[in-house]
Each structure stands twice: as structure tokens, then as C-alpha cells.
Amino acid sequence: MKADVLVVGSGIAGCAAALAAAREGADVLVVTKATEPEDAASDWAQGGIAVTQSAPEEFAADIRRASDDTADPEAVETLVSESRAVVEDVLLDTLEVEFDAVGGGADGTDSTDSTDAADFDLAREAGHSSRRILHVDASTGAHVLRPFLQHLSARDGVRIVDDATALDLLTEEGTVRGATILADGEVEPVFAGATVLATGGIGDCYARSTNPAGATGDGVAMAALAGATVSDMQYVQFHPTAYDPRTDPQADDDAQPFLVSEAVRGEGATLRDADGRRFMPDVHEDAELAPRDVVARAVSRARDRTGRVVLDVSDLDFREEFPDLAALCDDRGVDLDAGIPVAPSEHFLCGGVAVDDRGRTSLSRLFAAGECARTGVHGANRLASTSLLEGLVWGVRAGETAADRGRGDAEAVEYAPPRDSDPALPDAFADTKFDRLGRTMDEFVGIERTPDGLGTARARLRRLKGEVDAYARTRVSRSIYELRNACVSSLLVARAAADAPSAGCHSLVDPDGSEESEESDDAGRGVTPRADD
């Protein structure tokens, strides 16, 4: 197959890249592992999409503050300055997403075609100094991604191949010429004038994650193996409030965790330990609305100290304001009067494949957007409700530039198809290896890390990757390549963490577990002093 632009991934960043490239007249092929919208992390996004209102400098300041002052100023300026225009163009005018409106709701009553604050029921989440978040209840991602996929499916110039796995990038003298694809049990090359990676995050590298299954770091690993620059992999963000069935006495044995949106705290919910004590005011001046990394560390410590943390929703009309979340709680038998048991869970990779303001990587004709890309916007910690926006802004910019670079320029190159000479492995093989991987990452590369723990993690991960590579040399399957990619991504995280000082969501603690200095820093920002302070 050939295409002007090959897009790998079908979340909001991949869809935005495909739309933008098609608008430029490119022939676009979207290849995705997903078979349903809910297979993409964008579909799971709850809170919403932050948009500049009357004070763009305030929005930019919030992003920088949440990042522990490590965000790239030019990237932040790009995100903030383009947020209104791209949201109005793509989400409102093209897709007609019906964000909750003042006096209306998710049915679109009183909705308009602009992002003016007077028209929409704007939410506030942790780290934001004002209300600026467009949302549809607490299920914004699904209301954005599904119409996006429907629009692309009906659009001329865009082909979508689902249930297909990108295996490796095709390169020729430092130039990316497409990728090898596994679909319907067959491997074939896709030659492209330009390739956009939009494969999402690394949730499957951890035992507990808010990501959907299949978030195995594919784009990061493929790019790294092809020689692209990868940056800031140590910055793995943990969401503070994922439902925790392990400490819920009402939970069934098979109860599954789910994300409890930051917007719930934005509306007044509070965090309490097993003794009923509200602990966040003692940690940070913004209490429950402190930056996400600060809250996650505080919740983790409170759970370790008392055995349980709950999100107290008694001061708000939870069922009225968050009906989708209330339904999830009801499905799992959560006693809302007693609070929602929560624990931190891996949530978002702030680093990834290094890109510029147009999504260009260090390899010619290779672009990246969304969670697999390191744009510099998030620095060491992401501000709530900026992931969909980043994917949208950089997806559009990458798609436009990829179309200009790749239109009419897909060339077939020589490639060696992967060997598939040995018998297939049982499903339990990958499951067992992923279990080992998740336990290693949770224990040693989690919310708080020690130098010795990171050394242990690197040794274990190298051994695991060696085992996986030995099997992958003579077998081709989605599971074995996902496992390879997850091992590569995990090693990149552990290596980067071992070489970097604490900042944002990368928190190094003393080998004896001392956290006194960490807590005092949390009162101001939530990080230990950096070497250059």
C-alpha cells in the first residue's frame, strides 16, 4: 500500500492529523490497533478541553506553574494562542460537538458556535486559576472522538484500517518511508511520503493505569528503535483519584478501577484519609486543587499511613453534576455516602518522541503528536484538561506539515520482512511478561523513586527485554510486538529517571524513604530542589 500521509493511531491527535492532511489534498491512510472508539485513550478522557478565555497570559502561567516551571515557553505560547481557533474550527464548526452550555446541558440546549465563556458551562480543575474547561458531563472524550471518527470515515481522501498493528518504521538513510503493518494475519509494507505517529501512552507498562488496554508505548518504541530522539521519559504522571476497589469493602471481587475526574474536586469534593481527616490543606495552599503531582504524592502517602483514602462528595450534588461517574459508582456498588475509595494510578506520559512546533521529529519525514510526542508543553507535569487540546493543536499542525512534505512522494524502498518461522506463543506468555513488567514499574518506577530502586528496575527490565527479543526474532504477532514496545518504553523511563534530578511528577526520595523535605516542598510546589536551583 501507498499513501501521501500515513497516520498511526486513531485518538484525537491521529484524527486531527488525518483531517488536516486531507484538507491539504493529501491521500491519507490511518492505521490503528483499535476496533472500537473506546480502545483509544482519547475516548476515555473525562474532564474536558481547556480553552483560552479573556486572559491567555493567565492560562499560560497556570501551565508553567503546573509544570514546575519546566514547560517550554514557546510550546506553551503555541498551545495557548491557538486553542480557541482550533477548537472552534474542528470541534464546534466541523464536528458540532455539543459541549455543556449554561442553562442547557449535554443535549446542546443553548449551545453556540463560539467558545465564549458566557455560552458554556465552563469547569475548573486542579491547577487552573479560573474556569476555562469545555466539557460534556464527565465523558468529554467520547463525545469528541466518536463524531471525529465518523467524520473521517465519510471523508474523501481518508482510508482507515482498523485492527491493524504497526510493527516497525521503514527507513532509508535516516529518512522514514512508512511502516510495516500486521493486518488480518499478514505483514505488508505501507510506503508513505510522510508518517505521523499518534499512538498514545504507556499505561500497559504499569500494573495500574487509567489508560485502555493496548497503551504499550508503540510510537515511542518504534521511533527510538529507528533512531529518533526521545526526551523527558522520566515524567510519568499519576492521576490522584482512580477508584480503588482494593480498599472498598463494598466492591465485588471483579470490580475494575476507573478514573474519577479532576472536575469533581474542582466542584468541591475533598480527600480524606481512613481516619476521616482532610489532609490536603496541610500539604499545599491550593489543597485539593494543587498540581496533579502534588496531590498524587499526598494521596499515596496518606494511603500508606492510614490504609485508605476516599473522595468525599457529600458537599456537592454528585448525581446531578456527574451522572456518568455516578453510574460507574453504582455499577460497582460504591457507597457514595462513605466516599469513593481512590488511589493514584498511572495516567499520562509527559515525555516521548521529541518534536518541534510542527510535530517534526529528528528523523526526516517522521512526525509525532499526542501523548507519544514530547512537545515541551507539559514539562515535568501536565496541567489538567490540556491533553486533548495538545493532541488537537499538534495533530493539526503535524498533519498540515506532513501533507506538504509527503504529498505525491510515497516511494517504495527495499525492506526485510520480519521472520515468522517459529510456532506462535500461547496467550499466557505475554500476560505473564506484562505482569512482571507492571510489578517492576509499580514498585520501582512509580510515584516516588530511589536511586537503588531505579538500578534494580533497569536490571530487571534489561533481562525481561532480552527474553522478549529472543522470541520476537522469529515470531510475528501483535502481543509480542506490544510486549517489545512496552519493554523498550519502560527501559527509557527507568534510564531517564536514573539520570535526572527531581522535578514535577519525577520524584526522587532518599534511600531510607525520608520524605520530610518532600512534604515541605509540596507546601510550595511539590518537588525536591533541582541541582541547578
Side-chain angles (χ1 to χ4, degrees):
M1 285 191 289
K2 287 187 177 182
D4 293 335
V5 176
L6 168 63
V7 178
V8 184
S10 60
I12 191 169
C15 287
L19 174 65
R23 284 176 167 179
E24 296 296 315
D27 170 43
V28 180
L29 177 65
V30 178
V31 172
T32 175
K33 294 193 300 187
T35 56
E36 299 291 342
E38 56 264 31
D39 293 337
S42 295
D43 193 75
W44 289 34
Q46 291 183 359
I49 184 165
V51 178
T52 304
Q53 299 301 324
S54 59
E57 66 283 353
E58 180 185 87
F59 187 12
D62 287 348
I63 294 172
R64 292 192 298 269
R65 185 165 47 251
S67 79
D68 192 17
D69 294 323
T70 61
D72 183 317
E74 293 183 1
V76 173
E77 172 62 24
T78 296
L79 187 80
V80 171
S81 64
E82 297 198 8
S83 64
R84 287 179 69 95
V86 75
V87 167
E88 290 177 0
D89 172 26
V90 177
L91 301 188
L92 295 179
D93 295 344
T94 301
L95 303 182
E96 299 181 344
V97 176
E98 296 177 338
F99 291 107
D100 288 356
V102 174
D107 61 358
T109 305
D110 293 338
S111 65
T112 73
D113 60 358
S114 76
T115 55
D116 292 338
D119 301 318
F120 289 98
D121 177 28
L122 300 176
R124 181 187 177 193
E125 297 185 16
H128 290 269
S129 56
S130 64
R131 292 181 174 271
R132 62 168 70 93
I133 299 168
L134 296 166
H135 61 97
V136 183
D137 186 26
S139 305
T140 307
H143 290 273
V144 169
L145 187 61
R146 298 181 188 203
F148 217 151
L149 289 168
Q150 291 170 0
H151 177 83
L152 291 176
S153 296
R155 189 181 184 96
D156 291 339
V158 178
R159 294 169 287 160
I160 300 177
V161 179
D162 62 10
D163 197 18
T165 303
L167 302 179
D168 285 298
L169 295 173
L170 294 171
T171 60
E172 181 186 50
E173 299 180 350
T175 296
V176 174
R177 296 291 186 181
T180 51
I181 305 297
L182 174 65
D184 296 325
E186 299 293 331
V187 176
E188 65 175 310
V190 175
F191 302 110
T195 301
V196 182
L197 298 174
T199 56
I202 61 169
D204 279 0
C205 296
Y206 288 82
R208 283 178 52 83
S209 174
T210 62
N211 293 181
T216 49
D218 300 331
V220 173
M222 287 191 296
L225 292 171
T229 300
V230 175
S231 302
D232 287 352
M233 289 294 290
Q234 68 271 28
Y235 299 136
V236 179
Q237 186 178 76
F238 291 78
H239 198 286
T241 54
Y243 166 65
D244 183 22
R246 297 170 298 176
T247 59
D248 185 357
Q250 307 297 322
D252 297 330
D253 291 340
D254 59 350
Q256 296 298 308
F258 61 89
L259 182 66
V260 183
S261 172
E262 207 133 340
V264 180
R265 280 179 281 131
E267 294 302 318
T270 56
L271 289 161
R272 299 184 182 276
D273 62 23
D275 300 323
R277 172 178 167 267
R278 184 186 176 196
F279 54 88
M280 279 309 302
D282 295 334
V283 175
H284 193 280
E285 61 183 4
D286 291 334
E288 280 79 7
L289 296 184
R292 188 173 281 174
D293 62 310
V294 176
V295 182
R297 282 194 294 274
V299 170
S300 179
R301 292 170 183 169
R303 289 183 76 255
D304 290 344
R305 188 173 59 249
T306 70
R308 189 170 187 250
V309 168
V310 300
L311 188 64
D312 181 355
V313 297
S314 60
D315 286 341
L316 58 156
D317 191 345
F318 184 70
R319 292 189 180 280
E320 177 67 24
E321 296 184 48
F322 301 97
D324 291 351
L325 285 174
L328 289 172
C329 289
D330 291 342
D331 289 344
R332 289 156 178 81
V334 176
D335 181 0
L336 293 178
D337 292 334
I340 305 170
V342 294
S345 186
E346 191 281 335
H347 185 58
F348 189 87
L349 177 64
C350 298
V353 186
V355 300
D356 66 5
D357 64 341
R358 304 299 306 188
R360 290 175 289 223
T361 74
S362 62
L363 296 180
S364 177
R365 298 177 184 264
L366 179 66
F367 299 76
E371 191 173 351
C372 73
R374 185 272 183 193
T375 65
V377 163
H378 308 306
N381 183 63
R382 178 172 69 80
L383 179 66
S385 285
T386 55
S387 58
L388 291 178
L389 180 62
E390 182 200 31
L392 189 60
V393 169
W394 259 265
V396 167
R397 293 169 75 86
E400 290 173 347
T401 310
D404 181 64
R405 187 73 177 89
R407 192 168 42 244
D409 204 16
E411 294 183 8
V413 297
E414 291 186 6
Y415 85 104
R419 288 177 59 191
D420 192 20
S421 56
D422 285 348
L425 295 166
D427 292 340
F429 174 84
D431 293 341
T432 300
K433 301 297 185 186
F434 268 115
D435 182 62
R436 279 176 55 190
L437 177 63
R439 285 187 282 110
T440 297
M441 295 296 286
D442 276 7
E443 183 175 359
F444 300 111
V445 201
I447 292 177
E448 292 183 318
R449 304 153 179 180
T450 67
D452 288 347
L454 290 171
T456 299
R458 291 174 68 179
R460 292 186 181 182
L461 292 170
R462 282 194 297 267
R463 287 196 297 270
L464 180 58
K465 181 179 179 297
E467 295 171 18
V468 173
D469 285 346
Y471 286 98
R473 291 188 189 102
T474 55
R475 293 172 177 84
V476 176
S477 70
R478 169 173 168 170
S479 63
I480 199 74
Y481 272 80
E482 286 183 326
L483 187 54
R484 179 205 68 174
N485 293 338
C487 288
V488 170
S489 296
S490 296
L491 262 173
L492 289 169
V493 173
R495 288 172 180 169
D499 294 335
S502 287
C505 55
H506 168 50
S507 177
L508 283 170
V509 298
D510 294 334
D512 63 0
S514 171
E515 57 189 38
E516 181 177 350
S517 63
E518 292 275 331
E519 287 186 341
S520 62
D521 286 327
D522 280 350
R525 175 53 196 75
V527 297
T528 55
R530 297 191 297 275
D532 58 350
D533 280 351

